């Protein structure tokens, strides 16, 4: 059973590599087309993002100024577009929420990865996933009932920050859990086999290995927290003053966005809509900055861990 | 190494069985075996016969795998390490372990070797001394002495494995378990490790898991042959390799399976 090939030679049938069947031709064609299609789809995805960034930057540009960013008196500037107050408010909220979330996420994640039995760990992971999937307004109501009413802290910086931390804990928890469980088993066993107690293993061996991932989780959780609006609106009170205590009211960046669109032109001589765009621009910049920091850190630490357990 | 040479076996395994809780499979079946001072025992057998499981029972590493149930006794200087009031951390400090692939930690060469001493809160002077000694004994000192603060991850696989041996030796264990320590290494690196083992057996009881009969012939003075979780035969290396009593042993060493 010999067949001639397009190059002219005659070969036994099962040695022939050419294949002109329809199916093969279709598959090869598909492979070629998908090579064009994917960049196209990427463009489709990127265009709205670029457009969004452009839209926000254009709207925010006229009112962006150092004076507006640093002035904490909301209606003081001539055009009344100072966002310093909200910038500080967001910083305060994020600082407290991050501290609380890192503490809970880190301890919870390490405990789940290292100390809990498979079964209890499964339950904890499921609960955390449920928390992550809860609609933010529901979490906001919970924060309202728990912190504002039950603990009696009122609409306040601390109530808002703790509610905010609920959104960050799952992300930090999950990255910490994953970071520690993905450390090669033999590395863990070698540490314990050298006579280390589990906490010594975690401090001296596990943490240096898990650190880059943990840091990534923390930064991404901050980016998530930064965008949350509704739950903090529900648990804080907008204020015209820089927070002076945990019970103070607080104005924050996403509140300006929310408020600017609801009441586009309130306030003496101010343009709340421009202010909303200014705030949106800042949130966007901070999120981008966080992501850049994550990438730089991750790349650097990856290099340092190269060759681990080859 | 530390203290007076003990009378009788350092480690003695008595009717040891290991069962998997999940599959109810008997991974090790009624093994009894003594490890005298100044001995290097090679544990050989076909893949999956239970060699790794066996050495891991010798310093309670098996309990890091929750699905295994150990019965019988393993006595270290007469003390059953599985008794409830025995501290596994102390067991593992006396009975060290080296794994199939190098398990260096992401820190400097020095800190890797010092790991076990740091967790014992030894003084810096003592750590310096013990680390140097351990690196010398592991046959790595000459290669790393000029760059002790360099990252251990930059070492070659063979150097990393000797660093793991040094790390285990630094706390001066009386027993060192090695689970196929050269199976991931090239012949030159393998030879260095074999030389290290030959030197070490003068003062540390060595238990070497290997699938390689010729390695057992080169370094061990006793061979224990496992098959399907049973200890088929144990004897001096010369006897086992030249005059095996059991037909299974003979088949294995002549390379008919495994
Ligand atoms: N945690 C466990 N749970 C259930 N079965 C296990 C477990 N660990 C090992 N086994 C089984 O026990 C048997 C022996 O495994 P072990 O790793 O000790 O073999 P080995 O002799 O070291 O093999 P190799 O030469 O391939 O390293 C295998 O059949 C394995 O499937
Ligand atoms: Mg094995």
């Amino acid at each position: 059973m010999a067949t001639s090939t397009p190059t002219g030679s005659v070969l036994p049938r099962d040695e022939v590599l050419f294949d002109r069947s329809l199916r093969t031709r279709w598959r090869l064609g598909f492979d070629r087309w998908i090579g064009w299609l994917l960049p196209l789809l990427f463009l489709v995805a990127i265009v709205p993002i670029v457009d969004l960034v452009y839209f926000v930057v254009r709207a925010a540009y006229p009112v962006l100024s150092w004076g507006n960013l640093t002035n904490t008196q909301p209606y003081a500037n001539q055009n009344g577009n100072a966002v310093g107050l909200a910038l500080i408010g967001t910083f305060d909220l994020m600082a407290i929420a991050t501290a609380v979330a890192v503490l809970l996420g880190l301890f919870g994640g390490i405990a789940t990865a290292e100390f809990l039995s498979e079964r209890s760990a499964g339950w904890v992971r499921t609960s955390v996933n449920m928390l992550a999937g809860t609609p933010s307004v529901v979490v906001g109501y919970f924060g309202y009932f728990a912190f504002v009413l039950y603990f009696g802290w009122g609409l306040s910086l601390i109530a808002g920050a703790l509610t905010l931390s609920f959104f960050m804990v799952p992300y930090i928890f999950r990255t910490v859990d994953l970071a520690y469980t993905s450390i090669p088993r033999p590395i863990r066993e070698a540490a314990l086999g050298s006579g280390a107690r589990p906490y010594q293993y975690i401090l001296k061996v596990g943490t240096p290995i898990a650190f880059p991932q943990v840091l990534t989780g923390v930064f991404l959780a901050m980016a998530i927290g930064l965008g949350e609006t509704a739950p903090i609106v529900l648990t804080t009170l907008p204020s015209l003053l820089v927070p002076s205590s945990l019970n103070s009211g607080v104005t924050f960046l996403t509140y300006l966005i929310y408020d600017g669109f609801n009441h586009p032109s309130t306030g003496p001589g101010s343009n709340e809509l421009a202010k909303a765009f200014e705030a949106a621009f800042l949130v966007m910049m901070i999120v981008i900055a966080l992501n850049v920091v994550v990438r730089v850190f991750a790349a650097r630490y990856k290099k340092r861990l190269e060759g681990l357990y080859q | 190494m530390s203290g007076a040479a003990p009378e009788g076996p350092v480690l003695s395994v008595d009717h040891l069985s290991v069962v998997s809780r999940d599959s109810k499979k008997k991974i090790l079946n009624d093994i009894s075996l003594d490890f005298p001072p100044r001995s290097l025992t090679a544990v050989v057998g076909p893949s999956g016969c239970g060699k790794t499981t066996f050495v891991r029972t010798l310093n309670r590493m098996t309990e890091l795998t929750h699905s295994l149930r150990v019965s019988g006794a393993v006595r270290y200087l007469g003390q059953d390490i599985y008794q409830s009031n025995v501290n596994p951390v102390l067991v593992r400090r006396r009975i060290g372990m080296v794994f199939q692939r190098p398990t260096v930690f992401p820190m400097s060469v020095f800190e890797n070797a010092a790991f076990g001493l740091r967790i014992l809160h030894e003084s810096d002077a003592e750590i310096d001394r013990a680390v140097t000694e351990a690196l010398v004994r592991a046959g790595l000192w000459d290669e790393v002495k000029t760059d002790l603060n360099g990252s251990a991850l930059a070492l070659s696989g063979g150097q990393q494995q000797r660093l793991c041996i040094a790390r285990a030796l630094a706390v001066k264990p009386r027993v060192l378990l090695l689970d196929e320590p050269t199976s991931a290494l090239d012949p030159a690196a393998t030879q260095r490790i074999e030389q290290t083992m030959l030197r070490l057996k003068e003062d540390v009881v060595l238990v070497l898991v290997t699938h390689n009969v010729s390695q057992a012939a080169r370094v061990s003075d006793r061979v224990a042959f496992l098959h399907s979780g049973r200890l088929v035969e144990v004897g001096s290396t010369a006897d086992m390799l030249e005059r095996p009593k059991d037909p299974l042993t003979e088949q294995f060493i002549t390379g008919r399976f495994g």
Side-chain angles (χ1 to χ4, degrees), chain A residues 84-96:
Chain A
L85 182 69
L87 210 53
I88 292 180
T90 291
F91 179 84
D92 287 350
L93 282 169
M94 289 301 293
I96 299 170

Side-chain angles (χ1 to χ4, degrees), chain A residues 21 76 201 208 229:
Chain A
S21 72
Y201 152 71
T229 314

Side-chain angles (χ1 to χ4, degrees), chain B residues 221-223 234-241 243:
Chain B
D221 35 42
R222 275 196 332 159
V223 173
V234 56
S236 77
T237 303
D239 282 350
M240 285 287 283
L241 298 188
R243 296 173 289 279

